[in-house]
Amino acid sequence: MKPLILALVLIATPGAVQAQTPPPAPAAPSTPAPPYGAPIGLEAAQALIDRATAAASARGFRMAFAVVEPSGALVAFARMDDVQYGSIAVAQAKARSAALFRGPTAAAEARVLAGRTVSLAIEGLVPVAGGVPIVVDGRIVGAIGVSGASSAEDDEIARAALGQ
């Protein structure tokens, strides 16, 4: 009889159990992302790919590189010989994500690794480092995506192309 009474008490008072769990802390205010600017042109996009290719070659990597405009549309693309075919789509997805969400994909990766797994439900967000916005005069004019090595190495090559 006592177990039945205890069960009824627990069922009847769910608020008491829930009230013991504190609400999540409010998110820290973030600084606004830079505004969009005029899309990057082909010549500037190709120069970034050339710098990324040189940086990757110096490290012995085989990689794919994509540069997109702020809308995520492809402006320039290159792949090194013998890069894994999967890196072609990944480089483009990283670039598109960095442009559309106005931030490096490494930041999205850090949020997921910190437990913010709800980010995985956002269509088009790639939480894997290697996509970096291209900022000119304080405005996002596109993004570069790199794939073919580890995500940290992809990010390193993308930033090297941007002179960061």
Side-chain angles (χ1 to χ4, degrees), residues 27-97:
S30 61
T31 58
Y36 289 118
I40 189 169
L42 178 59
E43 188 175 319
Q46 190 60 52
L48 288 175
I49 286 177
D50 292 344
R51 286 198 295 268
T53 302
S57 292
R59 296 276 314 271
F61 296 145
R62 297 177 304 236
M63 304 183 112
F65 315 97
V67 175
V68 300
E69 60 182 30
S71 71
L74 190 63
V75 176
F77 175 83
R79 68 172 185 85
M80 298 172 76
D81 293 340
D82 202 32
V83 67
Q84 60 192 6
Y85 292 116
S87 289
I88 295 168
V90 173
Q92 292 178 38
K94 288 178 179 183
R96 189 176 316 107
S97 179

Side-chain angles (χ1 to χ4, degrees), residues 20 27 35 63 82 104-105 127 136 142 145 150 158-159:
Q20 295 174 1
M63 304 183 112
D82 202 32
T105 57
V136 175
S150 72
R159 291 181 183 284

